[in-house]
Amino acid sequence: MTTGVAVLGATGSIGRSTLNVLRRQPDRFRLVALTARVARDELARQAAGFGAPYHATVESRGPECLVEAATHPDVDVVVNAVVGAAGLNATLAALRAGKRVALANKESLVMAGDLVLATAAAGGGEVVPIDSEHSAVLQCTTGHPDALARLILTASGGPFRDWSADKVRGATVEQALRHPTWQMGRKITVDSATLANKALEVIEAHYLFGLGYDAIEVVVHPQSIVHGFVEFSDGSMLAQIGYPTMELPILYALTHPERLPDHGVTRYDPVAAGPLTFEQVRRDVFPTFDLGVQAGRAGGTMPAVFNGANEVAVAGFLAGRIAFGRIPELIDAALTAHSAIPAVDLPTILEADRWARAHVEAGQ
Ligand code: NAD
Ligand code: MG
C-alpha cells in the first residue's frame, strides 16, 4: 500500500525538499497532486517525472486548485508548503475531507488555531507539523504518555543576532536574506530576522500541544542543532538533535508515528559539530517577537491581525518601500488599533486578516 501525497507550494523551499524526500521513497509514497502560485513549466515537469495525475497553478486555475489538490480522492497526506494566509483554506478543506495535513504553513494555525483543530476533530483529519521545532517536540513526546509540562523552542537568532538595535533598524533586504543556518523562502527568512517567525511558532505550539503560553519558552541557539526541548512533569527533559535540514521533519510528518529508513540526511557527529550554545532572546532589539506572543495570548482575532500585518509589512520591506525597523512599528500600530473578537468562524478570521492588511497598507 502506498500513501497518496499532495504537495501544495511544490516550487518553494519546503515543496522542493518534499519532492526530494518522495523521490527517495518510491515504494512508500505516490505523488498525486502538485500546486504552485506560478511556474507552470516547472510544475508540469515535476508532475510528469512522478506520473502525478493532477497539477495546477493559481495563475492558471485560481486559488480553487489548492482545494482540488488537497481533497483529491487519491490523496492521504497533504503537504501544505504554501507561504502565508493563502494556505488556510486548503488546510481546512483537507481536514474536512479527513486527510492528514503535514503542515509547513504555520500561518494556518496562527490565524485560525481553534477552527483548524475543530475542523480536524469533526472531519477525522489530523495536523502533523513540519516546522522543525514542532517536529522535535512531537518526536520527543511520541511514545511518552507522561504529562508534558514545558516546551523550549530554539531559534537561530537570525542574521542580526548580535547586532546593535540601531544597526538592526537600518538593515537592508540583502542583509536580512542572508540567514546563517537555514535556506528558506524570502518571507520566512525575513520573519527569522525580525523573530516574527519564532512568535508565530510559539502560537503554533500552543495549538498543536495544548500548552498555555507560560509553558512555552524560546531560547536562541545559533548552531540550529537542537530543534526543541520538552520537559515532563517529573522534571526530565528530552531534546531532538540533528544538522539543520527540513527533509527529516518532512519525512517524519509523512510517517509519524512510524520512522522510515532514509539515507538522504547527514548523520550528526557531536564531536565534529563542536559546542552547542544557548542565549536569551534579545526582546528589546527584536520587538516583533513580543508583539506576536502578546497577540497569541490575547487570542480571538488578534493572532490573525498579527499575521496579516506582518505579511504586508514584510512585503513592503522586501519591495524596498519601508525600512526594516518599520516592520514592528506597523504591526504594533495594527494590533493597538484592533479590538479582538472571538475567532468563531472563517469569515470573522478573514475579515480580521483583511482589516490588518488594509491598516498596514495605509500606514506605509
Ligand atoms: P517559498 O516562498 O519558498 O515557497 C512558497 C510556495 O508557496 C511556492 O511554491 C509558491 O508558488 C506558493 N505560493 C505562494 N503564494 C501562493 C498563493 N497565494 N497561493 C498558492 N500558492 C502560493 O516558502 P517556503 O520557505 O517553502 O515556506 C513555505 C511555508 O513553510 C511557510 O509557511 C513557512 O513559514 C513554512 N516553513 C518553511 C521552512 C523552510 O525551511 N523553508 C521551515 C519551516 C516552516
Ligand atoms: Mg521553524
Side-chain angles (χ1 to χ4, degrees):
M1 265 292 281
T2 55
T3 302
V5 180
V7 182
L8 314 182
T11 57
S13 161
I14 293 289
R16 290 194 175 113
S17 296
T18 304
L19 299 184
N20 290 341
V21 169
L22 297 181
R23 227 171 257 121
R24 293 201 296 271
Q25 305 283 353
D27 297 340
R28 175 61 189 266
F29 299 110
R30 186 165 82 87
L31 184 60
V32 173
L34 294 150
T35 76
R37 191 161 61 87
V38 287
R40 261 183 269 185
D41 293 349
E42 180 183 346
L43 213 62
R45 245 191 339 269
Q46 287 166 338
F50 279 97
Y54 180 95
H55 72 274
T57 62
V58 174
E59 186 192 33
S60 61
R61 292 279 287 273
E64 241 345 82
C65 72
L66 274 73
V67 172
E68 279 168 17
T71 57
H72 191 291
D74 297 344
V75 165
D76 305 295
V77 182
V78 176
V79 176
N80 189 343
V82 171
V83 59
L88 173 59
N89 228 358
T91 296
L92 294 172
L95 294 172
R96 224 176 273 128
K99 318 279 191 196
R100 168 179 292 195
V101 177
L103 189 71
N105 181 257
K106 62 192 91 184
E107 294 91 343
S108 289
L109 268 177
V110 169
M111 294 176 73
D114 287 325
L115 183 63
V116 166
L117 297 182
T119 306
E126 61 174 340
V127 180
V128 182
I130 281 181
D131 220 341
S132 53
E133 299 77 1
H134 306 73
S135 177
V137 171
L138 182 66
Q139 291 180 58
C140 290
T141 50
T142 297
H144 291 265
D146 329 50
L148 182 60
R150 185 166 69 111
L151 304 181
I152 304 178
L153 308 178
T154 55
S156 70
F160 312 140
R161 179 175 62 86
D162 50 7
W163 286 27
S164 71
D166 267 356
K167 203 173 160 201
V168 169
R169 275 193 291 271
T172 66
V173 170
E174 199 200 341
Q175 288 166 331
L177 290 179
R178 222 179 283 140
H179 196 276
T181 50
W182 293 99
Q183 291 292 320
M184 311 179 285
R186 286 157 65 89
K187 187 261 182 183
I188 183 177
T189 303
V190 176
D191 284 352
S192 299
T194 61
L195 295 197
N197 182 51
K198 217 41 64 172
L200 296 172
E201 291 185 356
V202 168
I203 301 171
E204 183 186 9
H206 165 76
Y207 287 111
L208 283 172
F209 304 111
L211 286 182
Y213 285 94
D214 287 341
I216 305 169
E217 293 173 25
V218 172
V219 64
V220 172
H221 169 46
Q223 298 83 19
S224 301
I225 298 284
V226 180
H227 302 297
F229 300 89
V230 306
E231 186 185 290
F232 297 103
S233 48
D234 63 359
S236 179
M237 201 168 235
L238 298 184
Q240 190 260 335
I241 290 178
Y243 292 122
T245 169
M246 291 308 296
E247 294 189 9
L248 196 150
I250 290 167
L251 177 62
Y252 188 73
L254 293 170
T255 62
H256 162 81
E258 196 191 329
R259 288 184 187 274
L260 276 191
D262 184 39
H263 301 289
V265 167
T266 310
R267 268 44 183 173
Y268 177 65
D269 178 335
V271 175
L276 306 179
T277 60
F278 301 92
E279 306 161 6
Q280 295 281 348
V281 174
R282 293 162 71 213
R283 304 176 118 92
D284 50 335
V285 180
F286 301 101
T288 312
F289 176 72
D290 276 343
L291 290 171
V293 175
Q294 281 158 16
R297 284 180 184 272
T301 47
M302 213 53 118
V305 168
F306 173 76
N307 182 68
N310 180 57
E311 282 191 32
V312 175
V314 169
F317 169 68
L318 284 170
R321 284 194 297 274
I322 62 163
F324 189 81
R326 287 285 288 149
I327 297 173
E329 291 173 8
L330 288 164
I331 296 171
D332 194 8
L335 293 173
T336 305
H338 181 68
S339 307
I341 55 170
V344 286
D345 54 18
L346 189 58
T348 306
I349 293 162
L350 294 180
E351 172 54 23
D353 174 67
R354 190 206 57 75
W355 178 90
R357 285 167 193 271
H359 194 276
V360 174
E361 296 277 3
Q364 277 184 28

